[in-house]
Amino acid sequence: MLDRIDVAFLPAEAALFDAATFIVVDLFRATTNIATLFAAGVTRLTAAATIEDARALAAARRALLCGEVGGLAPAGFDLGNSPVEARTAAVAGREAVLFTTNGSRALCAVAGRGEVIAGAFANLTAVAEFVAAREGHVVLVCAGDAGGRRFSLDDCVGAGAFVRAFTALAPGAALGDAARLAARTSIDDARGSHHAGLLRDLGLGADVDFALLRDTSRAVPLVSSAGAGWAALKNASIG
Amino acid sequence: MLDRIDVAFLPAEAALFDAATFIVVDLFRATTNIATLFAAGVTRLTAAATIEDARALAAARRALLCGEVGGLAPAGFDLGNSPVEARTAAVAGREAVLFTTNGSRALCAVAGRGEVIAGAFANLTAVAEFVAAREGHVVLVCAGDAGGRRFSLDDCVGAGAFVRAFTALAPGAALGDAARLAARTSIDDARGSHHAGLLRDLGLGADVDFALLRDTSRAVPLVSSAGAGWAALKNASIG
């Protein structure tokens, strides 16, 4: 059973925790999008730390090139970072490469530190059940804003939902300072966050609403291999 | 009047804000101790980024050498980092040099970015009144744990008290994501924080209790000069 739950408000804090399992949360929108792409049939998704890495990886693997800079798909990308778009895109059986300002970088930063999973409200129950069967220490890693340098309330809300789920499944687990604070946040905090406002201003309010829906995906996107500037995820879900 | 209030959960986040005023909060115990040392009559206090800097500065200026490593005063120090001890120490008319694991480093990291003040519950009203007369943007900087690399709930609680005070004095000010979260914390969160537990284990529970008392000092410790590895503070209080 899990015995300790921590939250890293920024990816750099994750390096301070010697844990078996890390769940990266970029609620708006990368980890919601990853959960959705796997639910839509993507076979493998490689998160890239830079846009140059993403372009090179997608070309080498003949993969769909997905992601955003400033919230929108850069020129030449097949898809943006929109889970609403991903839900109905023709991606089944394809590989994908994803570059985003915060989420894909956070996955690359944490990859290799333990079992690393991409989590969001979209796959909350699937990931919580997968991880709650583990022993030891789990860390929720908020992707943050400004390339992972600034706190972002929406990611904290997503992390808090996992803290509450794990506390219900493993009532004896100890909570770190940030986990206690995150557990008290609500969907309304995510709706009122700085990041939600930016996305609405870009006309992407539907992605905000979608990211707050629970269990639209049964995917458990798990990092299966990683190198300098990339982390490849596969769906470890059995359901 | 203030128009924007942000909280940096870690000192490194402060670099992302282009603000006129920064208030560094290390509730347990550096900024509480600084407010208390000035109230006890210290004329100037130099925060040092490393223990070597602190020893050299204290020797050069014939200043009291104060601070902690692992919570306790290192060998050869005149005083620890205890506000309870500082309150009754014979420090009137003396200069002090302070090295602590988080707080003095945070002051050095932020010094030079704008007007930089050391704040805590101990001098909440004095600092809030001093800053509320300013125009523009104020950032509360949490000193954090592990040398400023990890979130510490006690500093967030102190920052939150300032957010509430400024919101009352400048009701139209916009709040950033972290400020909104910090404003909801309470004294009980600080009492239950990881850091409070560590201090109680060291027999320093009286410092925890003292740090949660409001307005035991009228000092406004303001950085007046700074260089590589040090920041010198004077009391800017008019009261």
Side-chain angles (χ1 to χ4, degrees):
Chain A
M1 192 174 278
L2 293 175
D3 58 22
R4 181 166 183 91
I5 305 162
D6 275 296
V7 171
F9 281 150
L10 297 175
E13 286 185 76
L16 300 172
F17 295 108
D18 183 22
T21 305
F22 295 82
I23 302 171
V24 174
V25 180
D26 185 3
L27 194 65
F28 303 145
R29 299 169 288 168
T31 58
T32 299
N33 195 24
I34 292 170
T36 306
L37 283 163
F38 276 113
V42 159
T43 55
R44 173 189 158 117
L45 183 144
T46 304
T50 70
I51 193 166
E52 295 78 16
D53 289 333
R55 289 189 196 278
L57 283 162
R61 299 191 67 89
R62 300 189 183 186
L64 290 165
L65 181 56
C66 313
E68 56 81 23
V69 172
L72 301 172
F77 272 49
D78 299 301
L79 289 170
N81 189 29
S82 163
V84 168
E85 178 190 34
R87 205 165 37 145
T88 55
V91 299
R94 296 289 305 272
E95 278 197 34
V97 170
L98 180 71
F99 170 75
T100 74
T101 317
N102 303 302
S104 63
R105 290 181 185 182
L107 281 161
C108 293
V110 180
R113 294 197 55 77
E115 186 178 54
V116 176
I117 297 166
F121 280 113
N123 61 351
L124 180 70
T125 299
V127 171
E129 288 175 356
F130 185 86
V131 171
R134 301 292 191 264
E135 300 287 326
H137 184 182
V138 61
V139 179
L140 286 308
V141 182
C142 298
D145 198 5
R149 294 182 301 148
R150 183 151 60 190
F151 175 77
S152 197
L153 184 53
D154 46 305
D155 298 334
C156 175
V157 171
F162 279 102
V163 174
R164 289 193 299 274
F166 290 136
T167 303
L169 293 164
L175 299 189
D177 276 8
R180 293 174 50 207
L181 196 55
R184 276 189 241 155
T185 56
S186 71
I187 292 279
D188 281 342
D189 292 321
R191 281 203 188 91
S193 67
H194 175 70
H195 200 169
L198 289 180
L199 290 171
R200 283 193 208 98
D201 288 347
L202 288 170
L204 297 167
D207 279 336
V208 171
D209 295 338
F210 184 79
L212 299 173
L213 299 177
R214 285 189 184 222
D215 299 332
T216 53
S217 166
R218 288 291 305 168
V220 179
L222 176 70
V223 172
S224 56
S225 57
W230 62 273
L233 297 99
K234 290 192 174 171
N235 184 0
S237 172
I238 51 168
Chain B
M1 192 175 274
L2 293 174
D3 59 21
R4 181 165 183 90
I5 305 163
D6 275 296
V7 171
F9 280 150
L10 298 175
E13 287 184 75
L16 300 173
F17 295 108
D18 182 22
T21 305
F22 295 83
I23 302 172
V24 173
V25 180
D26 184 4
L27 195 65
F28 303 145
R29 297 168 293 167
T31 57
T32 299
N33 195 25
I34 291 170
T36 306
L37 283 164
F38 277 111
V42 160
T43 55
R44 174 188 156 115
L45 183 144
T46 304
T50 70
I51 192 167
E52 296 77 17
D53 289 332
R55 289 189 196 277
L57 283 162
R61 300 189 66 90
R62 300 192 182 185
L64 289 165
L65 181 56
C66 313
E68 56 81 23
V69 173
L72 302 172
F77 272 48
D78 299 303
L79 289 170
N81 189 30
S82 165
V84 168
E85 178 189 35
R87 203 162 42 142
T88 56
V91 299
R94 296 289 305 272
E95 276 196 35
V97 171
L98 180 70
F99 170 75
T100 73
T101 316
N102 303 303
S104 62
R105 290 181 185 182
L107 281 161
C108 293
V110 180
R113 293 197 55 78
E115 186 177 55
V116 176
I117 297 166
F121 281 113
N123 60 350
L124 180 69
T125 299
V127 171
E129 288 175 358
F130 184 86
V131 171
R134 301 291 191 267
E135 299 288 325
H137 183 182
V138 61
V139 179
L140 286 309
V141 182
C142 299
D145 197 8
R149 294 181 301 147
R150 182 152 59 190
F151 174 78
S152 197
L153 184 53
D154 46 306
D155 298 335
C156 174
V157 171
F162 279 102
V163 174
R164 289 193 298 274
F166 290 135
T167 303
L169 293 164
L175 300 187
D177 276 8
R180 292 173 52 205
L181 195 54
R184 276 190 240 155
T185 57
S186 71
I187 292 279
D188 281 342
D189 291 321
R191 281 201 187 94
S193 68
H194 177 69
H195 200 169
L198 289 181
L199 290 172
R200 283 194 208 98
D201 289 347
L202 288 170
L204 298 167
D207 278 337
V208 170
D209 294 337
F210 184 79
L212 299 174
L213 299 177
R214 283 188 185 223
D215 299 332
T216 53
S217 166
R218 288 290 305 167
V220 179
L222 177 71
V223 173
S224 56
S225 57
W230 62 275
L233 297 100
K234 290 190 173 173
N235 184 0
S237 172
I238 51 166

